[in-house]
Amino acid sequence: HERPKTKPVSIGSDNWFGMDVMVLKGSCVADKTNIGIGTIVSNKTLPPESTIVTETNLKILGNKVQK
């Protein structure tokens, strides 16, 4: 069996991770960083004292309520 290639993950102190956050190989999360719900961090270096969220595009299709 061939082992998968890996990279270290570094997580600082005093961080807050929302629900369903994934920090994948090669990522470095600095101190006092907030990561929002459902965010995936892959092979990135996050600066200290930052807030990271996944961008979502909200589209309102209509506001017609039938009675």
Side-chain angles (χ1 to χ4, degrees), residues 37-51:
I37 294 172
T39 302
I40 300 172
V41 180
S42 178
N43 202 25
K44 299 285 184 193
T45 299
L46 304 180
E49 299 184 17
S50 59
T51 300

Side-chain angles (χ1 to χ4, degrees), residues 11-16 29-33:
I11 298 176
S13 62
D14 200 23
N15 294 318
W16 181 86
V29 180
D31 296 339
K32 298 182 181 178
T33 299

Side-chain angles (χ1 to χ4, degrees), residues 5 8 18 26-27 30-32 35-36 39-40 44 51-55 61:
K5 294 180 182 178
S27 298
D31 296 339
K32 298 182 181 178
I35 302 178
T39 302
I40 300 172
K44 299 285 184 193
T51 300
I52 311 299
V53 296
T54 299
E55 181 180 352
L61 300 176

Side-chain angles (χ1 to χ4, degrees), residues 5-26:
K5 294 180 182 178
T6 63
K7 293 181 182 178
V9 172
S10 174
I11 298 176
S13 62
D14 200 23
N15 294 318
W16 181 86
F17 288 21
M19 185 172 66
D20 295 330
V21 168
M22 288 188 269
V23 180
L24 304 178
K25 66 181 180 179

